[in-house]
């Protein structure tokens, strides 16, 4: 007999050659509402399930909207088990979007029944809004997450997804082939990508490992093209091993120009214009020049941006604030927020925007330049939120 967990610690779907029992529970603690329905279903007549489902007196009489609410509470494995219980439940599962707080993808050593040893494979974990997690691997399992077109991950985290490991390019090749087979509508849907690839390869003693001949951007761009640009609005590249050449490549993709938020750490110089389409920009680098800082300020002044839009430029090597201010093409006025002066802030100024009800508040010290679009009458409140 095989047993599959459905929900909680005691409810399960069990099956053998003669019968299967379906049990579903909403919540596992004694103070939560719980209901259980069960029936004997002949696996040999699975196609005639609608007739047998009449025995699910309680479950089948529930309104469809209530059934969907129950399904939304299930984790991914529980949904898979319920989906296999009947054709009606399969349709119900497929019509209900999967709520995913975030997905992590990385490589890990897992048991391979064919080789009977631990092999390094691409694995992924799915987290729901209640921090429940399920670990899976395989292209089919991964694409099943997005079977419903309304299933969107809030964040997708690639954790040291090293292209130099053989299992990574193989997984991506298989994934690309399967997605192409399923048509152009088959895309990964996520609102944010977090890319953590800033690691050093450990070299065995006495051996010199040849560096990768390809730019990290080639690897990332292939992955980026698998995502639906209509949903992807944020990129977090703080822990990446990207170069200025990588950014030049990414800036040519449609995904880049549709982003609303960019979080980046890059030690090499690149074209500042690449980042001036985002509403929220956090950019750390070795240095910024006065003209570069003023260009960012002008961009946030001239665009029709919503309240809360902001930028923050951070450097490792302190700059001369007086030299930076010389590049500001406006009369300089130090306007501390709330009238409170602090030795850590060298200059604060409110600048006009295209919207008469909004201003751009810019603050500078020797290492950070920050700007926030605030309401004219609520500067202290709005600036403090960002």
């Amino acid at each position: 007999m095989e047993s599959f967990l459905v929900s909680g610690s005691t409810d399960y779907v069990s099956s053998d050659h003669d019968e299967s029992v379906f049990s579903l529970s909403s919540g596992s603690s004694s103070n939560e509402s719980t209901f259980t329905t069960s029936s004997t279903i002949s696996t040999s007549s699975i196609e005639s399930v609608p007739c047998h489902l009449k025995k699910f007196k309680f479950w089948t009489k529930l309104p469809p909207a209530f059934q969907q609410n129950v399904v939304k509470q299930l984790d991914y494995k529980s949904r898979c088990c319920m989906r296999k219980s009947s054709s009606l439940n399969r349709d119900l599962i497929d019509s209900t979007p999967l709520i995913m707080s975030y997905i992590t993808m990385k490589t890990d050593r897992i048991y391979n029944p064919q080789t009977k040893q631990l092999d390094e494979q691409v694995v992924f974990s799915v987290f729901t809004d209640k921090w429940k997690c399920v670990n899976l691997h395989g292209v089919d399992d991964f694409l099943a997450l997005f079977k419903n077109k309304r299933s969107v991950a809030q964040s997708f985290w690639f954790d040291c997804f090293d292209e130099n490991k053989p299992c990574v390019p193989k997984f991506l090749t298989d994934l690309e082939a399967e997605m192409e087979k399923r048509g152009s509508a088959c895309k990964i849907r996520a609102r944010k990508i977090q890319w953590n690839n800033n690691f050093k390869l450990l070299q065995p003693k006495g051996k010199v490992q040849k560096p990768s001949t390809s730019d990290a951007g080639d690897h990332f761009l292939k992955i980026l093209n698998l995502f639906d640009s209509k949903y992807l609005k944020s990129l977090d590249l703080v822990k990446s091993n990207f170069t200025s050449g990588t950014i030049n490549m990414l800036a040519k993709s449609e995904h880049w120009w549709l982003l609303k938020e960019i979080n980046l750490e890059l030690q090499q110089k690149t074209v500042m214009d690449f980042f001036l389409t985002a509403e929220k920009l956090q950019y750390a680098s070795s240095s910024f020049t006065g003209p570069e800082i003023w260009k960012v300020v002008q961009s946030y002044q001239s665009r029709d941006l919503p309240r809360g839009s902001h930028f923050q430029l951070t450097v490792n090597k302190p700059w001369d604030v007086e030299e930076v201010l010389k590049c500001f093409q406006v009369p300089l006025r130090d306007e501390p927020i709330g009238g409170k002066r602090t030795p850590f802030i060298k200059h604060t100024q409110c600048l006009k925007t295209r919207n008469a009800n909004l201003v751009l508040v810019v603050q500078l010290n020797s290492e950070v330049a920050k700007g926030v679009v605030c309401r004219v009458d609520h500067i202290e409140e709005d600036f403090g939120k960002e």
Side-chain angles (χ1 to χ4, degrees):
M1 173 180 281
E2 297 177 82
S3 296
F4 305 95
L5 179 65
V6 172
S7 179
S9 58
T10 58
D11 299 318
Y12 59 90
V13 170
S14 60
S15 63
D16 55 24
H17 296 294
D18 298 319
E19 61 180 17
S20 65
V21 178
F22 171 63
S23 175
L24 176 63
S25 172
S26 175
S28 57
S29 60
S30 58
N31 60 347
E32 294 179 353
S33 61
T34 305
F35 66 88
T36 305
T37 60
S38 62
S39 175
T40 300
I41 303 177
S42 171
T43 56
S44 61
S45 58
I46 193 67
E47 295 302 324
S48 58
V49 162
C51 178
H52 291 276
L53 283 179
K54 293 178 180 178
K55 298 180 181 180
F56 288 84
K57 295 180 180 179
F58 186 70
W59 176 248
T60 55
K61 290 182 179 179
L62 292 175
F66 187 91
Q67 291 179 333
Q68 284 197 331
N69 285 334
V70 172
V71 171
K72 288 178 181 179
Q73 305 304 314
L74 301 178
D75 60 28
Y76 183 64
K77 278 189 176 179
S78 301
R79 287 168 63 109
C80 289
C81 293
M82 184 175 178
R83 190 178 186 276
K84 294 177 181 179
S85 65
S86 73
S87 59
L88 290 182
N89 284 333
R90 178 192 63 202
D91 295 339
L92 174 63
I93 294 292
D94 291 347
S95 65
T96 307
L98 178 62
I99 299 174
M100 298 174 282
S101 295
Y102 68 95
I103 300 172
T104 63
M105 182 170 283
K106 61 181 181 179
T107 59
D108 199 3
R109 296 178 65 84
I110 60 177
Y111 180 73
N112 187 334
Q114 295 180 344
T115 61
K116 296 183 178 180
Q117 61 183 8
L118 293 175
D119 291 343
E120 196 159 37
Q121 297 186 40
V122 172
V123 298
F124 56 94
S125 303
V126 184
F127 293 81
T128 67
D129 56 347
K130 295 182 179 179
W131 293 95
K132 294 180 180 178
C133 170
V134 57
N135 302 315
L136 301 163
H137 64 92
V139 169
D140 290 337
D141 283 345
F142 176 71
L143 291 179
L145 297 173
F146 305 97
K147 186 176 181 65
N148 187 298
K149 293 183 178 181
R150 291 180 294 160
S151 295
V152 182
Q154 297 305 308
S155 182
F156 201 118
W157 182 29
F158 291 91
D159 186 12
C160 294
F161 202 58
D162 184 10
E163 67 270 25
N164 296 311
K165 295 181 178 179
C167 62
V168 172
K170 181 183 183 304
F171 177 84
L172 290 178
T173 300
D174 294 343
L175 181 60
E176 287 175 344
E178 184 60 30
M179 291 179 70
E180 185 177 354
K181 188 189 303 181
R182 299 189 184 193
S184 58
C186 183
K187 290 285 186 180
I188 303 171
R189 292 181 294 277
R191 304 195 189 282
K192 180 178 182 178
I193 291 179
Q194 294 174 273
W195 185 260
N196 176 14
N197 238 29
N198 190 13
F199 56 90
K200 296 180 179 179
L201 296 175
L202 298 177
Q203 299 183 6
K205 292 183 179 180
K207 294 184 179 180
V208 178
Q209 185 164 351
K210 296 181 179 179
S212 176
T213 56
S214 61
D215 191 289
D218 292 324
H219 176 52
F220 181 75
L221 194 57
K222 289 180 181 177
I223 295 174
L224 186 63
N225 288 332
L226 301 177
F227 282 77
D228 193 328
S229 60
K230 291 184 295 184
Y231 293 90
L232 185 62
K233 299 303 176 187
S234 176
L235 271 185
D236 186 340
L237 308 175
V238 171
K239 296 182 179 180
S240 70
N241 55 351
F242 289 171
T243 65
S244 57
T246 306
I247 301 302
N248 292 340
M249 294 173 59
L250 295 180
K252 296 176 183 178
S253 68
E254 66 168 333
H255 296 76
W256 184 267
W257 299 106
L258 294 175
L259 293 173
K260 292 185 178 295
E261 182 175 0
I262 299 175
N263 194 357
L264 172 71
E265 183 174 349
L266 187 67
Q267 299 306 315
Q268 298 181 356
K269 284 289 184 182
T270 189
V271 181
M272 184 61 76
D273 292 342
F274 289 158
F275 310 101
L276 301 185
T277 56
E279 294 178 2
K280 299 178 180 180
L281 172 64
Q282 299 224 22
Y283 186 3
S285 185
S286 56
S287 65
F288 292 107
T289 64
E292 286 176 330
I293 296 173
W294 176 243
K295 178 177 282 191
V296 176
V297 172
Q298 280 187 309
S299 172
Y300 275 73
Q301 271 190 285
S302 60
R303 288 184 288 155
D304 191 11
L305 296 173
R307 174 170 63 94
S309 298
H310 62 268
F311 69 84
Q312 181 169 310
L313 306 178
T314 307
V315 293
N316 300 328
K317 183 180 178 181
W319 53 45
D320 187 331
V321 175
E322 296 300 326
E323 291 298 319
V324 171
L325 289 175
K326 287 179 181 179
C327 299
F328 278 39
Q329 300 172 15
V330 293
L332 296 178
R333 299 186 307 274
D334 191 12
E335 305 167 302
I337 296 176
K340 301 175 183 177
R341 296 186 179 275
T342 168
F344 301 106
I345 305 299
K346 302 300 183 182
H347 186 79
T348 303
Q349 188 159 352
C350 298
L351 302 173
K352 293 181 179 180
T353 66
R354 293 181 62 181
N355 188 331
N357 297 317
L358 299 174
V359 293
L360 175 65
V361 182
V362 179
Q363 273 190 352
L364 288 101
N365 61 26
S366 58
E367 296 177 345
V368 177
K370 179 181 178 179
V372 181
V373 177
C374 305
R375 291 170 294 179
V376 174
D377 300 328
H378 298 79
I379 291 177
E380 191 170 0
E381 177 186 346
D382 292 348
F383 191 88
K385 288 181 179 180
E386 303 302 333

